[in-house]
Amino acid sequence: MKAEIITIGDEILLGQIVDTNSAWLGQQLFDLQIHVQQITSITDSESHILQALTAAQSRADVIICTGGLGPTKDDVTKATVAKFFNTTFVHNEEVMVHVKQIFERFNRTMPAMNYGQADVLANAEVLFNDWGTAPGMWVEHEGKVFIFLPGVPFEMKNLMTHRAIPKLKDFHSEEKLVLRYILTVGIGESHLAEMIADIEDSFPDQVHLAYLPKIGMVRLRLTVSGKDVEQLNLLADELQEQLIARIGNAVVSTEDISFEEVLIKSFVADNCTLATAESCTGGNIAHMITEVAGASEMFEGGIVSYSNQVKVSQLGVSESTLEAFGAVSEETAVEMAKGAKERLGTSYAVATTGIAGPGGGSEEKPVGTVWIAVAGKQEVQTKLFRFHGDRHINIERATAQAFLMLWNLYRQEKGD
């Protein structure tokens, strides 16, 4: 069964908000073996909505629209959808009571425009919205299912979870998909592709391999399609094992998780702890770690030692080291890592010091110069990088390399 998602609203097209709804919907639909074929973002205008609905109906079995259901004049979705289905509106008293109660709960007078939110399509089944004023609507039309949801993420998710998904479970798709993931680090996309080219060339037509690169890592997604799920899983496992055997130590996970999650799980399993001492990355390493649930089991804390004074007072970096070698140096990075490890009492510590840009560089140490040090249980390892890019890219690259160095030292000391 095929699906299409239509997001409605100028705020998405203008970049004022990021469309997280579509990513979440895609995940939920895949769990139901309903496969998203296209995602379209359009303005809240009659012509665009009519065109998008007409096109989606020709391609998909399930069409989900988010956004444009508000009470203000710029939200024209509901009226346009009525025109598309050649239907009218009916007043839903249950919705009206609910909307009034929301305003009463906050001791506010309900504006006249909100009365219109109780008007729903005559051919629709109302998806009652316990979490907001705009109800969702379910329409079955010419053999297709249309689901209209508000664009506010928490309202959309709750409506989809509690109202739409239970109904979609009654729909079954003959074509099934199974996925396998391989997360690799320290190897570029093109080198990885060359390494496994002959394996990929031998794949049958029902198998597709996608390369999903990020700075410092590449995730492989193996998709196998067919009708017999048991056979699909056997084939997917066999092909995944072939790829892993070929790629070797660059493989860090076969789960659909981030590299940070791999590090955290591994450290927790081995009772290892981590501290960070960051200058040029400005706390980004600590941020990436603490975004992951469960990080508190292995992450003790971090020090953003942007100034030399903080490097000395909080990390114990020697003033003579700073005078002789400068803040951006191997010697300073080593003392930062050792200081963080000792002062926070951890198994490992990672330190960064460099020039992210756009200013601050010199002929000897141009913008993009970064020293990274990782202090482990037995030794400290360092590496000099000369990145080329703007400030944000340099920070991202330094963060990715810090994680890779930390992982490599951890695996080395573990004996893997």
Side-chain angles (χ1 to χ4, degrees):
M1 182 171 286
K2 298 177 181 178
E4 187 159 330
I5 299 169
I6 302 172
T7 63
I8 302 171
D10 293 341
E11 62 275 13
I12 294 174
L13 296 171
L14 292 172
Q16 294 172 326
I17 65 170
V18 176
D19 175 25
T20 58
N21 284 350
S22 294
W24 185 86
L25 284 167
Q27 293 170 351
Q28 307 310 305
L29 292 170
F30 179 81
D31 290 341
L32 297 171
Q33 287 293 314
I34 299 173
H35 313 306
V36 177
Q37 303 294 303
Q38 185 161 324
I39 298 172
T40 304
S41 293
I42 59 174
T43 62
D44 202 341
S45 69
E46 181 179 292
S47 61
H48 287 166
I49 294 171
L50 291 174
Q51 290 171 14
L53 289 173
T54 301
Q57 185 178 25
S58 70
R59 295 185 292 247
D61 306 296
V62 178
I63 298 95
I64 300 178
C65 298
T66 67
L69 299 181
T72 54
K73 291 182 180 179
D74 63 325
D75 288 319
V76 301
T77 298
K78 199 159 60 172
T80 305
V81 169
K83 184 174 182 178
F84 176 78
F85 291 125
N86 193 27
T87 190
T88 57
F89 292 108
V90 295
H91 180 79
N92 187 295
E93 187 58 29
E94 185 182 10
V95 173
M96 187 75 268
V97 170
H98 172 67
V99 174
K100 287 180 178 179
Q101 287 176 343
I102 289 178
F103 282 92
E104 290 171 359
R105 193 180 308 148
F106 293 97
N107 196 28
R108 295 168 58 189
T109 302
M110 188 176 78
M113 67 178 65
N114 285 94
Y115 282 90
Q117 293 192 287
D119 295 334
V120 298
L121 298 174
N123 66 334
E125 178 181 342
V126 173
L127 302 176
F128 195 76
N129 185 357
D130 294 288
W131 307 272
T133 60
M137 292 176 288
W138 173 290
V139 177
E140 295 187 26
H141 178 75
E142 297 181 357
K144 306 298 177 74
V145 172
F146 293 80
I147 304 171
F148 300 94
L149 303 170
V152 179
F154 81 90
E155 291 186 33
M156 183 278 298
K157 289 179 180 180
N158 278 296
L159 269 171
M160 189 70 186
T161 300
H162 299 288
R163 307 294 186 211
I165 286 178
K167 294 173 66 61
L168 286 171
K169 286 180 179 178
D170 293 333
F171 292 81
H172 302 285
S173 176
E174 288 189 9
E175 184 183 40
K176 308 296 183 183
L177 293 181
V178 298
L179 302 179
R180 294 294 184 272
Y181 293 93
I182 301 173
L183 179 61
T184 70
V185 297
I187 181 171
E189 180 182 11
S190 57
H191 291 295
L192 180 60
E194 286 181 357
M195 181 185 294
I196 61 175
D198 60 319
I199 298 176
E200 187 175 3
D201 289 342
S202 70
F203 286 168
D205 292 339
Q206 69 188 111
V207 179
H208 175 69
L209 185 65
Y211 293 76
L212 310 172
K214 287 180 66 177
I215 292 177
M217 64 196 73
V218 179
R219 187 187 311 279
L220 297 177
R221 185 186 66 228
L222 191 68
T223 305
V224 185
S225 60
K227 295 182 178 180
D228 187 329
V229 173
E230 184 177 351
Q231 291 300 316
L232 296 180
N233 278 312
L234 289 173
L235 178 57
D237 288 339
E238 177 186 342
L239 297 177
Q240 183 186 46
E241 289 172 7
Q242 289 181 29
L243 292 169
I244 291 171
R246 177 67 60 82
I247 300 167
N249 290 334
V251 175
V252 297
S253 179
T254 56
E255 297 179 78
D256 186 20
I257 60 176
S258 67
F259 191 22
E260 300 83 70
E261 290 176 272
V262 174
L263 281 162
I264 290 167
K265 285 187 173 184
S266 300
F267 271 48
V268 170
D270 288 335
N271 295 313
C272 293
T273 53
L274 175 68
T276 57
E278 301 182 65
S279 183
C280 62
T281 48
N284 194 54
I285 296 172
H287 166 69
M288 297 291 287
I289 288 287
T290 55
E291 272 202 325
V292 179
S296 60
E297 295 185 55
M298 53 75 71
F299 185 66
E300 292 296 329
I303 298 171
V304 180
S305 54
Y306 227 55
S307 70
N308 286 352
Q309 180 183 351
V310 174
K311 290 179 176 68
V312 173
S313 63
Q314 301 301 314
L315 293 171
V317 176
S318 168
E319 290 185 357
S320 61
T321 297
L322 291 169
E323 290 174 3
F325 304 102
V328 181
S329 64
E330 180 178 22
E331 292 79 6
T332 297
V334 169
E335 292 189 19
M336 288 172 64
K338 286 182 175 179
K341 181 174 179 289
E342 293 168 2
R343 297 197 175 197
L344 288 130
T346 57
S347 314
Y348 289 84
V350 59
T352 62
T353 181
I355 306 163
S362 65
E363 186 175 343
E364 181 185 358
K365 299 176 182 179
V367 169
T369 301
V370 176
W371 276 100
I372 299 176
V374 180
K377 294 179 179 179
Q378 285 94 39
E379 64 176 292
V380 179
Q381 293 184 352
T382 62
K383 193 168 183 179
L384 170 65
F385 297 91
R386 296 194 182 277
F387 301 124
H388 301 282
D390 66 19
R391 180 180 184 83
H392 298 292
I393 293 175
N394 287 337
I395 290 172
E396 285 187 34
R397 286 174 173 163
T399 299
Q401 290 298 330
F403 283 139
L404 181 58
M405 287 178 62
L406 175 63
W407 175 255
N408 287 339
L409 181 56
Y410 160 75
R411 292 290 299 272
Q412 175 188 315
E413 294 191 337
K414 187 179 177 182
D416 290 350

